[in-house]
Amino acid sequence: MLSQSFGLDLIGSVVDQYGNTIIEHPEQIDVLRVRLVPLITRIITEKSTFPSAVRATRLLQFILVNHTLEQDSGTSWKRVLFLEMYRNFHEESALIRNLYSNFDENVERRNIVRDHLAALVRLASEKPTTIGLGQQTSVPESESENRVDEEAAVQAAGVVGTIGATATTTGASAPGITSRWSVIKTPCIDVLDKSEAPALPPTYIYSLVLSCINYFSEGLGKFLLPFTVPLEGRTKRKQRGLSTTTTELSPSGKGDGEASSKAGEAENGGSQKRKIPTNPLTLKDHVLYSQIYTSSQMIEHCWPAILATCSTFLNATLDSDNYHNLIRSFQKFTHVAGILELPTPRDAFLTTLGKHAVPRQHSILLSPKLPNALSPSSHESDQDNPSDRDTSPARSDMSGGDRQQKASAPTLTITSRNLLCLRALLNLGTALGPVLQNSWSIILETYQQADSFIPRSGDWTSKSRLRTSQSTSTGDIDIAGEISAVETAASRLLDSTKELPDTMFLNVLRSLRRLLHGLDSDVETDLQQSQQLLSPEARTPRHNSVPSLSRPAFENRSVMLSNLFALERLGQVALFNRARLTQQDAAETGWDILLETFISVLSSSLFEPDTRIKAAEELLELGTLIIVHPEHGSEIQQDVARCRGLEAFSITVASLSKFHIDNVRKIATCEIEIHRMALEKLHSVLERCGESLRSGWQVVLDLIASIFNRPHTSSPNVDQNGRNILLKSPKLVKPAFTSLQLIHFDFLSSVPRKCFVTMLDASYYFSAQVEDLNSSLTAITLFRNVSDFLLQKDSQELADGALIDCTSSIEIMSVLKTRNRYASPVELWIYLQFHLMHLTQDGRSEVRDCALQTLFRIFDSYSDSLSSRSWMFCFRHLLLETFAINHKECHRYSDWSSWNGTAILIIEWTPRMFSQSLNVLGEDEVKTVWQSLLQNFSHFLERKSLAVSRSVFATATGLLSDNSDSFLTKKLSMDQAWELWRSGNPALHQSGDLSNRMDNNGALVAYLQFFHELCPRLATLDDNRVDSLLQELKVCINKAAPATYSQDVDRMTEVQILSLNTSSLVPTQTTRNLSRLVEFVTSLVGLAYENGGKEISKGKTHVALSKSAMNALQSLVVNHRQSPDVSRLLTKSLEALAIPLNLKYKWQVEGKEPSTWRTATTTALAILEETLPHLQTIHPEPETQMWDSIVAITSGIISADCSSPHAPNSPSTSTISDDESFDRECFARVQNLIIPALGSPSILTVTREKYISSLFNNSLIHATNPDDRAREGETILSGLNRKHIGRVSDLQPTPRSKMAYTLLDTLFDLVAKQPSSSSSSSSKLSSSNNERTRLAQAAAPYLVLRVGVVLKAYICDQPLRGRMPQPLSQKREMLRVLELLRGLEADEVAAEAIGRSSGGKKGVAWRVYGLVVKALGVCKDEEVGRGLRGVLEILEEDDDDDDNDD
């Protein structure tokens, strides 16, 4: 009898070798069904031996008994045998489909495939410890070598919080499924030579379950996916060996890298739409449609079991290969469900995959709205698994300020397996994009959560740290490579959106929008309000996802990071689809949704600043690319695209102040930053494509001007001088102004004329803003560029009738603004000049001055082309208005200095303007301009500013000198100019106070120079004008500031020179004018000596002026010696010259030679020598006052106070000697002029006595005793009779002894009897003798006194000296007096004056006889005695002569 094992082997060989023959014979099939199957069933169900069970199982290839997989169904090797058999079944996907079709779809038969898969669910979860089931998947402990080193590497790489196992078991005893100990070399079903079952690893059965799942999913994919691709694409797909619509996962993570280059295709702007994948269920005419339908039914009914089984293993301990295979199977099943358009299994699998793509403690249960069939009560496989629910608290708020810090902030970081799931999910999104519809939210929300845990490549400090092996938690995966693969998959996912149809693309945008708006209800409320304000359309309904994170977990930081992610991805999608977004219909292409989303965020204050800035950044970047790189098409299409890009800029900026236009508030920092970004992007756009921008210039200019808050008003000039121009932030000036500069320099020809008013307004606003001075100044210069551009071709009439009739600048600008779209270049030229004019009232001097210079240069450049009418229009409304503005604004400020500087600029430009007017205007118009200028000059002088006055008079001088040859200038009336000069003396601007050292010399010089130009043009210079002229000249000299670096001792100041020269312009034809002029010059002569020289302490001496005035006086008097009033002129001149003469050696300040008194002496003698002889001829009867002045001059010549206490630096002996010689010569000259004329009877005796007294006083060599002089009421000689005590001290002789002896001789000469003339007497001789007699009569008493004081001093002093000799100087004087006395023959009349009735020699000697006798009585000196005796001898001889006569 055959053994059971041999029989089974024999039957198996027959069935295996002759299977086809058996199938062809129904009777053989019936034998197998009736006989063999019951036998096999009995062997398997009974406790048979291993060999029998193995052989029975091999025969049961088509019989499925589910209860053999249950845990209590027998020994473990039986379950393994049947799972190995099922694995073989799954390898043949057609077999599974047939089984499902024959059994599961047949209501009369038992479910085979469904029950089998349900049994796998129970089998997978029956021993959680064996498979290492936990909160998340992990790696078997002994899977990795050198685990300690790798953990250190992980920690060093900055990946904190990694989970490592603590068990130390290895091999088969360790939990988890791995290819190292969870497989056997030979499957049990193939072991035929064993009598006992081999030793099986505890996890081997679970590896078989994974294999079944893998083969099942793979079989579905291989069968169904080819139907979704058009026929022409299948060949290429087969050659690549890859799925057309999905990317297989590889352990190295390189599956996505091959397609990374395709992500950059977004830059080319291609927007060719991808067709929606074909649903195989729609191929009803296909030969395999029945199998397609069976596969669809199998998926629809079996997906809960597959999901439950996979969910268990997704949290188990698996090695890298098993985990990758599991994810691949999961991905394949999801893909198949998606292309069959089965939303429930698709979304369930996507949700599960998304849950495992995020760290378990932080994952979100993404649960879309599923039907009741998916509820936990519907399927046993989807119930009460604690790992399927995430009840962990939400991640804490991140503390870092930068998004890159998020990798280290959470408690746990993302693992490579999380990244693997995420990559699979992203690839599914790429493959199923056209059919996902609202399920995009699952993928994007998962990506959003996972992204917050993904470290960026820049977060790692070195490349070596990137290649960290996370052995204890993630397997041998290169974490850096996995991150790179995820980034590539994400980029490809977003890139794939450009191939989606418009309706599907809108789903993507709405899903991204949900990520942004679904976090906080308060934020959503604010966004809805802003959306209603920004757009009248109703907002698109939101998709309601069900987040499992508790609300308190969404702290500000995590919310911000989530929003940043959503905005960034939204921006990337927009960039990939910019070709679509620039199409005509903005609503259908998604532009409206996109724009409204970004604007809602950036304009809402409820979002974090970083979020708002990110929204603006993405929107602006999109707008920039749309403008710079428009899609290929016609120019009109490109213009539409650029306008849409500019719309993004415009709405971005407008939304920042949408709710606060009329509300004064502090603008948030983030809004300023957004505004700044928009302006910088705008500048980038202009740099890159400004020349090709044909439309949208108005938007560009409005954006540039948007940095200013301008109030609503109808007045066109409300913003003048910047008082009503408010700058939103100083940070906005530079980015906005650089764009304006670029337009002015490079794109003026591209700007439409209708936009010029806006451009000029923007330039004005930048000029008037007060935050950035450099920008203001540069903006002003831009007006010059526009002016050159507007009038670069032909000269035109610059004003029409409507403008000519305007009466104010406000009215003119209103007219020009109403013509904005149709304004001519000339009108725009006028408009920009009015802007410059308004800038002249800016509070900053730099801005005013720059505006003035630019205005004047523009006008100067084109004024030659103006008609007289146009020229006068500009003169009245621009130039004169500029004058008026300066006058008005100056009085608004306490400090006029800066406004005066601006006034100077205005004034200095007028000569050129006036010169141009002579070439354009007629006579009447030139007179009008001249009068207007002088009137404004008068207003400027009212400020009493030295700088302004100087500019006014210098400019007025230039007006006359530069146009002196003009015929029209000669016809101008100068009366108004005279009044300007008369009333505008700059010397009066300082009220005579020079203590502040303000230098008014420049203004005075200009003032005087103006008169030099004006004087020849004056019709007459009448008496009143002469008086005013001399008075103003005197004021100029007196009030002029001292010289800066030197005193006016040696040289006159320029003011003094001009004043003196100006006085020479006075006409002297009339006696009155001549007299006033002499008075003026004589006042200058004595000006240095007024007030005792007090002006010297203030830096002014007038010494040089005094000397020059003396010379001028000499010329004036000498030249007019024929004048009837010459005597009075001479008197005034000599009186003035006497002042410095009388201060000889007393005056402190003397310049270079000659000194002032020498100059005065020379001048006086020159005048006397020229005028006195002539005067004596025409005026025989001289005036007493004139002779008084002559006597004063003479006294000044002969006198000198060499020991004056007021002279700290007494003159040296040599100086005194030289001066003495000079005075003796001058005295001789004057003596010849006045003697004997001084004895004229018309001259008062007192005048002669003054002269004689001066001679007496200055002839004294030694000081006399006071008792020798006559006292008040006494006669001259009364003192000689008084006695006084003698002196024994030596008396110092006068330093000017020679002058004293000369004067002594003069006294004796005056008293001496003149020799009788040999000629016949005549009236003239008789007159001369009479004059000399009168002089002798006046001099005789003083001569007696002069001799008497010498004798009396000798009488009193000599007895006290004893035998001491008399001092030599006194002795010499004594001998000289005695000698002259002996030789004197006095005039008879003179003798009578001293009490002698007879003249002759005895006249004077007899008067001093008693003194001579007394002196001889005390004389002990032989020489003196001889002199005394000689006098007595003369007296004796005279007495003898008298006796003889008797």
Side-chain angles (χ1 to χ4, degrees):
M1 182 177 180
L2 295 175
S3 64
Q4 190 179 38
S5 298
F6 180 77
L8 292 174
D9 283 338
L10 182 59
I11 295 173
S13 298
V14 171
V15 173
D16 182 42
Q17 295 180 13
Y18 300 100
N20 295 332
T21 304
I22 296 174
I23 293 175
E24 294 175 354
H25 297 78
E27 67 278 8
Q28 295 180 6
I29 294 175
D30 185 67
V31 171
L32 293 177
R33 181 184 300 113
V34 175
R35 297 296 182 94
L36 183 59
V37 171
L39 175 62
I40 294 174
T41 303
R42 186 171 62 254
I43 294 174
I44 292 174
T45 55
E46 295 177 354
K47 294 183 178 181
S48 58
T49 62
F50 175 73
S52 298
V54 170
R55 288 161 175 79
T57 303
R58 288 174 61 85
L59 288 173
L60 194 59
Q61 294 292 330
F62 299 103
I63 300 175
L64 302 176
V65 182
N66 288 293
H67 69 273
T68 56
L69 299 180
E70 300 298 333
Q71 188 173 3
D72 56 351
S73 62
T75 57
S76 60
W77 50 264
K78 286 186 178 181
R79 304 171 71 202
V80 169
L81 287 174
F82 283 100
L83 278 178
E84 289 179 348
M85 181 187 64
Y86 284 126
R87 180 186 61 185
N88 295 334
F89 289 165
H90 285 295
E91 287 182 0
E92 297 293 335
S93 59
L95 179 60
I96 294 296
R97 290 193 298 273
N98 291 332
L99 285 175
Y100 190 86
S101 175
N102 294 326
F103 290 91
D104 293 71
E105 290 183 348
N106 192 337
V107 295
E108 298 178 356
R109 294 188 176 188
R110 185 173 182 178
N111 294 334
I112 300 299
V113 177
R114 295 180 188 177
D115 292 346
H116 161 63
L117 294 177
L120 293 182
V121 175
R122 293 188 292 273
L123 176 61
S125 59
E126 66 182 10
K127 293 183 178 180
T129 305
T130 303
I131 62 175
L133 190 64
Q135 289 293 321
Q136 64 181 9
T137 183
S138 58
V139 178
E141 292 183 1
S142 59
E143 180 69 18
S144 154
E145 298 179 358
N146 301 323
R147 179 169 59 91
V148 176
D149 295 340
E150 292 173 355
E151 284 182 348
V154 172
Q155 296 295 335
V159 184
V160 299
T162 52
I163 301 176
T166 57
T168 58
T169 59
T170 61
S173 61
I177 305 171
T178 176
S179 59
R180 298 183 60 183
W181 65 70
S182 299
V183 296
I184 57 178
K185 183 176 298 185
T186 304
C188 292
I189 199 170
D190 293 332
V191 178
L192 302 177
D193 56 347
K194 301 287 187 179
S195 59
E196 296 292 336
L200 299 175
T203 56
Y204 175 62
I205 191 172
Y206 299 104
S207 67
L208 294 176
V209 174
L210 288 174
S211 297
C212 292
I213 297 298
N214 293 339
Y215 287 128
F216 180 76
S217 299
E218 188 70 23
L220 289 174
K222 286 184 178 181
F223 175 69
L224 292 176
L225 292 180
F227 295 107
T228 64
V229 184
L231 294 177
E232 60 271 15
R234 296 182 184 179
T235 303
K236 296 181 180 180
R237 179 176 58 83
K238 291 179 180 180
Q239 292 175 355
R240 292 195 304 266
L242 298 173
S243 173
T244 305
T245 57
T246 189
T247 302
E248 297 292 343
L249 295 171
S250 62
S252 63
K254 296 180 181 180
D256 295 324
E258 297 175 357
S260 61
S261 61
K262 298 181 181 179
E265 295 178 359
E267 292 299 327
N268 60 16
S271 59
Q272 185 177 2
K273 304 298 185 293
R274 186 178 70 189
K275 296 182 179 179
I276 299 177
T278 303
N279 187 348
L281 292 176
T282 61
L283 304 176
K284 296 183 179 181
D285 296 334
H286 200 279
V287 67
L288 297 177
Y289 177 76
S290 59
Q291 295 193 35
I292 294 174
Y293 180 78
T294 299
S295 300
S296 172
Q297 292 297 313
M298 184 166 51
I299 293 172
E300 188 171 1
H301 292 88
C302 297
W303 71 263
I306 298 295
L307 179 62
T309 305
C310 291
S311 297
T312 301
F313 286 108
L314 284 174
N315 292 321
T317 302
L318 303 177
D319 65 353
S320 183
D321 291 337
N322 282 302
Y323 194 82
H324 274 76
N325 293 333
L326 177 62
I327 296 301
R328 185 182 293 109
S329 301
F330 204 89
Q331 181 185 21
K332 189 74 70 173
F333 192 90
T334 309
H335 191 183
V336 171
I339 59 104
L340 292 176
E341 299 183 8
L342 301 175
T344 301
R346 178 198 65 197
D347 292 350
F349 274 74
L350 289 176
T351 301
T352 303
L353 192 60
K355 182 171 64 176
H356 290 277
V358 183
R360 294 297 294 166
Q361 284 77 0
H362 308 278
S363 61
I364 295 179
L365 178 59
L366 303 172
S367 53
K369 297 180 180 178
L370 301 178
N372 294 333
L374 189 57
S375 62
S377 60
S378 301
H379 294 281
E380 195 177 9
S381 60
D382 198 23
Q383 64 183 2
D384 298 343
N385 187 352
S387 64
D388 290 341
R389 288 183 173 84
D390 186 4
T391 58
S392 61
R395 56 190 169 104
S396 61
D397 187 17
M398 298 177 67
S399 60
D402 189 89
R403 194 164 180 257
Q404 293 182 350
Q405 295 177 353
K406 62 187 178 183
S408 59
T411 305
L412 296 177
T413 60
I414 197 167
T415 64
S416 60
R417 295 192 173 180
N418 295 135
L419 295 173
L420 191 66
C421 295
L422 178 60
R423 180 154 58 96
L425 185 66
L426 296 175
N427 287 332
L428 285 171
T430 303
L432 300 177
V435 296
L436 281 178
Q437 297 180 349
N438 291 336
S439 298
W440 274 99
S441 298
I442 302 174
I443 299 174
L444 294 176
E445 288 180 20
T446 302
Y447 184 26
Q448 180 187 40
Q449 292 298 318
D451 182 76
S452 62
F453 299 99
I454 298 177
R456 296 294 179 263
S457 300
D459 297 338
W460 305 86
T461 58
S462 65
K463 186 175 181 180
S464 61
R465 293 183 178 180
L466 283 171
R467 309 191 65 83
T468 303
S469 178
Q470 299 179 349
S471 58
T472 60
S473 60
T474 61
D476 295 330
I477 296 297
D478 181 4
I479 186 69
E482 196 63 44
I483 292 175
S484 177
V486 168
E487 292 174 349
T488 302
S491 178
R492 190 174 59 183
L493 171 65
L494 301 179
D495 183 25
S496 67
T497 59
K498 68 184 180 183
E499 300 177 352
L500 297 178
D502 289 341
T503 55
M504 302 302 174
F505 178 69
L506 292 178
N507 289 332
V508 177
L509 294 181
R510 293 190 183 100
S511 298
L512 287 171
R513 183 188 176 98
R514 294 185 192 107
L515 298 182
L516 182 64
H517 297 166
L519 297 176
D520 193 294
S521 60
D522 295 335
V523 175
E524 174 63 18
T525 301
D526 181 76
L527 291 177
Q528 289 177 353
Q529 294 175 356
S530 64
Q531 190 272 343
Q532 293 173 1
L533 290 173
L534 290 174
S535 175
E537 299 177 0
R539 193 172 179 182
T540 305
R542 293 177 56 253
H543 171 75
N544 295 321
S545 60
V546 185
S548 64
L549 291 179
S550 60
R551 183 183 177 88
F554 280 93
E555 303 273 332
N556 291 338
R557 190 64 184 169
S558 59
V559 170
M560 184 192 71
L561 292 178
S562 298
N563 288 338
L564 290 177
F565 169 86
L567 292 171
E568 183 175 355
R569 299 305 172 270
L570 193 62
Q572 291 177 354
V573 168
L575 291 179
F576 287 129
N577 291 270
R578 69 175 187 273
R580 182 204 310 268
L581 296 173
T582 55
Q583 295 176 3
Q584 293 289 344
D585 196 336
E588 293 182 0
T589 60
W591 172 258
D592 288 345
I593 295 177
L594 189 69
L595 188 61
E596 186 274 328
T597 301
F598 282 129
I599 295 301
S600 298
V601 176
L602 66 89
S603 63
S604 174
S605 60
L606 297 180
F607 282 100
E608 289 292 328
D610 289 347
T611 304
R612 301 175 64 187
I613 292 174
K614 183 63 176 177
E617 179 181 352
E618 296 295 340
L619 179 58
L620 294 173
E621 181 65 24
L622 173 62
T624 300
L625 288 179
I626 289 176
I627 299 171
V628 175
H629 299 293
E631 294 305 312
H632 298 292
S634 64
E635 292 184 355
I636 297 178
Q637 292 174 339
Q638 293 183 3
D639 289 344
V640 170
R642 290 192 176 101
C643 289
R644 188 158 292 178
L646 288 174
E647 179 188 7
F649 282 82
S650 178
I651 297 180
T652 298
V653 173
S655 64
L656 298 177
S657 55
K658 184 73 176 179
F659 313 111
H660 311 280
I661 291 178
D662 298 315
N663 191 16
V664 178
R665 66 184 180 94
K666 182 178 180 181
I667 302 178
T669 303
C670 70
E671 294 185 4
I672 298 300
E673 179 63 20
I674 293 172
H675 206 156
R676 185 192 63 79
M677 290 167 50
L679 295 172
E680 289 182 348
K681 290 290 186 182
L682 179 64
H683 181 259
S684 175
V685 166
L686 292 175
E687 282 185 327
R688 298 164 68 180
C689 66
E691 66 282 351
S692 59
L693 193 63
R694 290 179 296 272
S695 59
W697 282 106
Q698 185 65 42
V699 177
V700 172
L701 294 171
D702 288 339
L703 285 172
I704 293 174
S706 64
I707 69 172
F708 302 101
N709 281 327
R710 302 182 298 279
H712 295 290
T713 177
S714 59
S715 174
N717 292 324
V718 70
D719 295 333
Q720 58 186 350
N721 82 352
R723 295 171 189 161
N724 294 323
I725 297 178
L726 300 177
L727 189 64
K728 293 181 180 179
S729 173
K731 297 179 180 179
L732 303 178
V733 175
K734 183 176 180 180
F737 186 62
T738 52
S739 297
L740 184 64
Q741 279 184 289
L742 192 61
I743 294 173
H744 277 272
F745 291 145
D746 297 339
F747 307 126
L748 273 181
S749 59
S750 301
V751 179
R753 184 177 297 176
K754 63 182 181 180
C755 299
F756 265 71
V757 169
T758 304
M759 182 178 65
L760 292 174
D761 288 343
S763 300
Y764 170 74
Y765 296 144
F766 279 102
S767 302
Q769 55 83 27
V770 297
E771 298 295 340
D772 190 341
L773 179 60
N774 289 335
S775 296
S776 295
L777 299 178
T778 308
I780 293 173
T781 62
L782 298 179
F783 286 101
R784 181 67 182 272
N785 295 342
V786 180
S787 173
D788 295 340
F789 176 79
L790 290 173
L791 299 182
Q792 59 184 342
K793 296 182 179 180
D794 301 326
S795 60
Q796 305 176 45
E797 177 66 29
L798 296 184
D800 60 12
L803 294 178
I804 291 293
D805 295 336
C806 294
T807 59
S808 66
S809 61
I810 295 178
E811 185 178 355
I812 292 172
M813 294 198 75
S814 298
V815 172
L816 293 175
K817 280 201 171 185
T818 56
R819 300 184 183 182
N820 180 14
R821 298 180 62 87
Y822 309 103
S824 66
V826 183
E827 292 172 338
L828 294 174
W829 184 77
I830 292 177
Y831 188 78
L832 72 86
Q833 288 194 90
F834 272 97
H835 272 318
L836 288 173
M837 181 192 70
H838 293 147
L839 287 173
T840 61
Q841 57 186 327
D842 194 281
R844 297 162 294 171
S845 60
E846 299 89 349
V847 173
R848 295 195 306 270
D849 297 348
C850 185
L852 278 172
Q853 292 173 356
T854 305
L855 173 64
F856 292 154
R857 288 171 183 170
I858 290 175
F859 186 79
D860 182 57
S861 298
Y862 299 99
S863 60
D864 293 340
S865 62
L866 304 180
S867 65
S868 60
R869 186 185 186 192
S870 300
W871 202 99
M872 288 302 296
F873 171 82
C874 294
F875 177 75
R876 286 194 303 269
H877 295 291
L878 283 173
L879 306 179
L880 290 184
E881 186 70 20
T882 302
F883 284 90
I885 286 174
N886 190 269
H887 296 321
K888 176 183 177 181
E889 294 298 322
C890 182
H891 294 285
R892 295 182 62 252
Y893 296 87
S894 58
D895 183 11
W896 290 10
S897 58
S898 62
W899 286 97
N900 290 338
T902 305
I904 292 172
L905 283 178
I906 300 174
I907 296 167
E908 290 177 348
W909 181 78
T910 52
R912 185 170 183 83
M913 178 196 66
F914 183 72
S915 299
Q916 292 173 347
S917 69
L918 297 177
N919 300 326
V920 178
L921 306 180
E923 180 179 345
D924 295 338
E925 293 168 330
V926 170
K927 290 181 179 179
T928 302
V929 173
W930 171 254
Q931 293 172 359
S932 300
L933 292 178
L934 292 181
Q935 183 178 3
N936 280 280
F937 284 170
S938 178
H939 293 323
F940 285 125
L941 291 177
E942 292 175 358
R943 303 184 187 186
K944 298 188 180 302
S945 167
L946 290 175
V948 174
S949 300
R950 177 179 182 177
S951 179
V952 167
F953 289 112
T955 300
T957 302
L959 287 175
L960 296 177
S961 61
D962 295 343
N963 304 284
S964 58
D965 298 333
S966 174
F967 173 75
L968 293 176
T969 305
K970 295 177 181 178
K971 292 187 176 183
L972 296 177
S973 174
M974 294 298 160
D975 293 339
Q976 190 176 359
W978 161 258
E979 290 299 324
L980 177 72
W981 186 87
R982 185 189 62 80
S983 61
N985 193 335
L988 300 177
H989 294 175
Q990 299 187 42
S991 302
D993 182 12
L994 301 180
S995 59
N996 55 3
R997 300 294 296 176
M998 292 182 64
D999 189 1
N1000 59 359
N1001 287 284
L1004 291 174
V1005 168
Y1007 175 73
L1008 296 172
Q1009 288 176 343
F1010 173 60
F1011 183 81
H1012 274 267
E1013 291 292 336
L1014 175 64
C1015 185
R1017 295 170 174 80
L1018 290 173
T1020 59
L1021 197 62
D1022 56 19
D1023 294 343
N1024 292 331
R1025 287 184 177 181
V1026 169
D1027 292 343
S1028 299
L1029 170 63
L1030 296 178
Q1031 179 63 31
E1032 298 303 329
L1033 293 179
K1034 187 66 177 294
V1035 172
C1036 289
I1037 294 174
N1038 288 331
K1039 304 301 182 181
T1044 305
Y1045 300 106
S1046 63
Q1047 289 184 329
D1048 55 342
V1049 176
D1050 296 329
R1051 289 181 298 274
M1052 289 189 295
T1053 64
E1054 192 171 0
V1055 174
Q1056 294 170 351
I1057 294 173
L1058 287 173
S1059 298
L1060 194 57
N1061 293 340
T1062 303
S1063 66
S1064 64
L1065 299 177
V1066 175
T1068 57
Q1069 291 81 3
T1070 63
T1071 302
R1072 182 184 183 280
N1073 288 350
L1074 178 61
S1075 178
R1076 295 301 305 274
L1077 180 59
V1078 171
E1079 289 178 3
F1080 171 76
V1081 178
T1082 55
S1083 67
L1084 299 184
V1085 172
L1087 187 60
Y1089 313 101
E1090 290 182 358
N1091 301 322
K1094 292 181 180 179
E1095 292 292 326
I1096 297 176
S1097 61
K1098 300 179 182 180
K1100 295 192 300 181
T1101 65
H1102 299 120
V1103 171
L1105 174 63
S1106 180
K1107 292 180 181 180
S1108 299
M1110 294 176 191
N1111 298 328
L1113 182 63
Q1114 175 183 340
S1115 300
L1116 184 62
V1117 176
V1118 169
N1119 292 336
H1120 294 83
R1121 60 183 178 271
Q1122 303 293 338
S1123 173
D1125 199 29
V1126 66
S1127 61
R1128 193 159 64 91
L1129 300 180
L1130 180 61
T1131 301
K1132 292 180 180 179
S1133 302
L1134 295 179
E1135 287 176 351
L1137 294 172
I1139 297 175
L1141 278 176
N1142 293 327
L1143 292 175
K1144 187 186 304 179
Y1145 298 153
K1146 294 180 180 180
W1147 183 243
Q1148 303 177 17
V1149 181
E1150 289 288 356
K1152 63 184 180 179
E1153 293 296 335
S1155 60
T1156 54
W1157 66 267
R1158 278 201 177 200
T1159 305
T1161 302
T1162 304
T1163 303
L1165 289 176
I1167 293 174
L1168 287 172
E1169 289 174 346
E1170 293 291 335
T1171 59
L1172 193 58
H1174 177 74
L1175 185 63
Q1176 292 173 352
T1177 301
I1178 62 176
H1179 295 287
E1181 299 296 330
E1183 295 183 359
T1184 300
Q1185 188 176 3
M1186 180 190 71
W1187 280 101
D1188 286 342
S1189 63
I1190 294 174
V1191 169
I1193 290 295
T1194 305
S1195 298
I1197 293 174
I1198 64 179
S1199 63
D1201 188 1
C1202 300
S1203 59
S1204 175
H1206 302 290
N1209 298 324
S1210 299
S1212 64
T1213 303
S1214 62
T1215 302
I1216 294 175
S1217 178
D1218 294 339
D1219 293 342
E1220 184 182 26
S1221 300
F1222 173 78
D1223 286 343
R1224 289 175 65 194
E1225 294 176 0
C1226 293
F1227 175 70
R1229 292 169 60 187
V1230 74
Q1231 189 75 359
N1232 292 332
L1233 292 173
I1234 66 176
I1235 301 297
L1238 187 59
S1240 173
S1242 62
I1243 300 176
L1244 297 178
T1245 302
V1246 66
T1247 302
R1248 285 188 289 270
E1249 288 182 353
K1250 288 180 182 180
Y1251 171 71
I1252 301 301
S1253 176
S1254 177
L1255 293 178
F1256 168 80
N1257 290 329
N1258 290 283
S1259 68
L1260 294 174
I1261 300 174
H1262 299 90
T1264 63
N1265 193 296
D1267 292 336
D1268 294 340
R1269 298 292 186 95
R1271 297 173 183 174
E1272 186 176 0
E1274 297 179 344
T1275 62
I1276 296 174
L1277 300 177
S1278 298
L1280 294 178
N1281 299 324
R1282 285 191 290 268
K1283 297 180 180 180
H1284 59 77
I1285 301 175
R1287 297 168 293 185
V1288 296
S1289 59
D1290 292 343
L1291 298 178
Q1292 294 297 326
T1294 176
R1296 293 165 57 93
S1297 298
K1298 292 181 180 181
M1299 175 60 79
Y1301 282 115
T1302 300
L1303 299 177
L1304 180 61
D1305 294 343
T1306 302
L1307 281 175
F1308 277 94
D1309 290 341
L1310 291 175
V1311 178
K1313 182 179 180 180
Q1314 296 297 323
S1316 60
S1317 175
S1318 60
S1319 62
S1320 61
S1321 62
S1322 63
S1323 61
K1324 182 177 181 181
L1325 180 60
S1326 175
S1327 175
S1328 176
N1329 290 334
N1330 292 335
E1331 291 173 351
R1332 285 189 174 275
T1333 299
R1334 293 186 189 94
L1335 286 173
Q1337 186 179 7
Y1342 286 96
L1343 179 60
V1344 173
L1345 180 61
R1346 177 70 178 86
V1347 174
V1349 295
V1350 173
L1351 294 174
K1352 189 176 180 180
Y1354 184 81
I1355 295 170
C1356 295
D1357 297 342
Q1358 194 59 30
L1360 298 178
R1361 292 191 182 98
R1363 294 185 177 274
M1364 292 181 61
Q1366 186 183 12
L1368 183 60
S1369 60
Q1370 292 181 352
K1371 181 180 179 179
R1372 185 181 297 117
E1373 181 185 14
M1374 182 73 172
L1375 293 175
R1376 180 62 175 170
V1377 169
L1378 292 176
E1379 180 183 0
L1380 293 174
L1381 186 61
R1382 287 197 308 270
L1384 176 65
E1385 185 177 355
D1387 188 270
E1388 295 179 359
V1389 178
E1392 293 177 358
I1394 58 175
R1396 295 293 296 174
S1397 60
S1398 62
K1401 296 182 179 179
K1402 60 181 180 181
V1404 176
W1406 274 111
R1407 186 68 181 83
V1408 294
Y1409 174 76
L1411 294 175
V1412 173
V1413 174
K1414 290 180 181 180
L1416 186 60
V1418 297
C1419 178
K1420 297 181 181 181
D1421 186 281
E1422 182 178 357
E1423 186 175 5
V1424 173
R1426 277 198 307 270
L1428 292 172
R1429 286 191 292 271
V1431 173
L1432 292 177
E1433 291 175 355
I1434 294 173
L1435 292 175
E1436 291 177 356
E1437 292 177 357
D1438 286 344
D1439 189 31
D1440 293 339
D1441 293 338
D1442 291 340
D1443 292 339
N1444 293 330
D1445 292 337
D1446 292 339

